[in-house]
């Protein structure tokens, strides 16, 4: 069976919970999962309950630019940066490919592949807004870590899942992780991107 490849980068923005929930719901039978966790993400995770990557992922060091995802010759379906720091976002916007995460992002943009950034910062400076504009123009999907409340989430995990649900839809990952708005009133055909 053809298994799609996805690259997940965890960077040093607050929101380790988003990364944990992302890994928790992934349908691993359908995806070969490559992961890179930045040094700053490890620091943040140590303050936010830890990351605990699942055993069936291939983890790459941030400094390892020999990883398969660093070359456009290897086909990956999607790259997700969750959570995405403004530092990594800024580097991606300006082509600063100085570690595996920023190099992979550069590759995804040049190959016109799906690059999804779950950025977390508030408030935003004009520089950050301009960087987000540049990345949007270059084809990246910006999905800020802004949860929604209309599904009446009961736990903090449910709340985080409202963001992960949007990320999964954009990445083409089939998993129902949060309630869709008035979903019972529309046809049951899955929302394919
Ligand atoms: C506890 C903690 C929380 C942080 N939260 C954020 C954040 O929400 N957003 C952000 O852009 N940076 C945040 N930072 C700063 C980044 O970790 C820092 O800019 C770092 O250089 C990002 O590196 P990376 O993009 O290589 O992971 C935080 C740092 C710490 C220690």
């Amino acid at each position: 069976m053809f298994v799609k490849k996805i690259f997940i980068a965890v960077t040093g923005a607050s929101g380790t919970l988003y990364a944990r929930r992302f890994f928790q719901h992934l349908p691993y039978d359908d995806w070969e999962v490559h992961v890179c966790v930045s040094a700053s993400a490890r620091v943040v995770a140590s303050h936010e309950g830890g990351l605990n990557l699942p055993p069936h992922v291939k983890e790459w060091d941030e400094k390892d630019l020999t990883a398969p995802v660093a070359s456009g010759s290897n086909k990956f379906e999607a790259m997700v940066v969750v959570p995405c720091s403004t530092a990594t976002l800024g580097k991606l916007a300006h082509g600063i490919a100085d570690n595996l995460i920023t190099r992979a992002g550069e590759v995804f943009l040049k190959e016109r592949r799906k690059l999804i950034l779950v950025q977390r910062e508030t408030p935003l400076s004009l520089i950050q807004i301009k960087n987000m504009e540049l990345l949007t123009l270059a084809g990246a999907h910006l999905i800020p870590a802004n949860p929604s409340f209309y599904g009446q989430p009961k736990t903090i995990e449910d709340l985080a899942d409202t963001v992960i649900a949007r990320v999964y839809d954009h990445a083409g990952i089939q998993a129902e992780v949060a309630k869709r708005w008035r979903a019972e009133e529309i046809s049951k055909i899955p929302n394919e991107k």
Side-chain angles (χ1 to χ4, degrees), residues 11-14 38 40-41 43-44 47 62 85-88 99 120-121:
T11 65
S14 182
S38 77
S40 301
V43 173
V44 174
H47 292 274
E62 189 185 15
S85 71
T86 54
T88 289
N99 63 40
R120 211 243 49 113
E121 189 51 280

Side-chain angles (χ1 to χ4, degrees), residues 36-64:
C36 181
V37 181
S38 77
S40 301
R42 291 183 199 282
V43 173
V44 174
S46 73
H47 292 274
E48 297 188 353
L51 183 56
N52 300 324
L53 290 177
H56 33 284
V57 301
K58 294 176 196 287
E59 192 179 357
W60 299 93
D61 192 278
E62 189 185 15
K63 296 191 190 79
D64 187 359

Side-chain angles (χ1 to χ4, degrees), residues 83-125:
C84 182
S85 71
T86 54
T88 289
L89 191 140
K91 287 183 191 176
L92 289 170
H94 295 278
I96 301 169
D98 63 345
N99 63 40
L100 181 61
I101 295 168
T102 48
R103 168 60 187 164
E106 176 178 72
V107 167
F108 273 67
L109 290 175
K110 85 181 172 74
E111 300 292 338
R112 308 292 193 269
R113 292 186 189 142
K114 213 175 276 175
L115 172 63
I116 298 167
L117 309 176
V118 186
Q119 78 271 27
R120 211 243 49 113
E121 189 51 280
T122 195
L124 293 167
S125 70

Side-chain angles (χ1 to χ4, degrees), residues 2-92:
F2 175 68
V3 176
K4 293 176 279 187
K5 287 183 274 303
I6 190 165
F7 181 59
I8 314 301
V10 184
T11 65
S14 182
T16 308
L17 176 62
Y18 291 110
R20 282 201 299 273
R21 297 306 283 177
F22 187 96
F23 289 115
Q24 196 152 338
H25 296 298
L26 256 186
Y28 289 93
D29 287 346
D30 303 341
W31 293 90
E32 180 180 308
V33 182
H34 294 244
V35 180
C36 181
V37 181
S38 77
S40 301
R42 291 183 199 282
V43 173
V44 174
S46 73
H47 292 274
E48 297 188 353
L51 183 56
N52 300 324
L53 290 177
H56 33 284
V57 301
K58 294 176 196 287
E59 192 179 357
W60 299 93
D61 192 278
E62 189 185 15
K63 296 191 190 79
D64 187 359
L65 291 168
T66 70
V69 75
S71 166
S73 61
N74 289 309
K75 284 191 177 172
F76 278 72
E77 202 73 22
M79 170 172 171
V80 179
V81 187
V82 57
C84 182
S85 71
T86 54
T88 289
L89 191 140
K91 287 183 191 176
L92 289 170

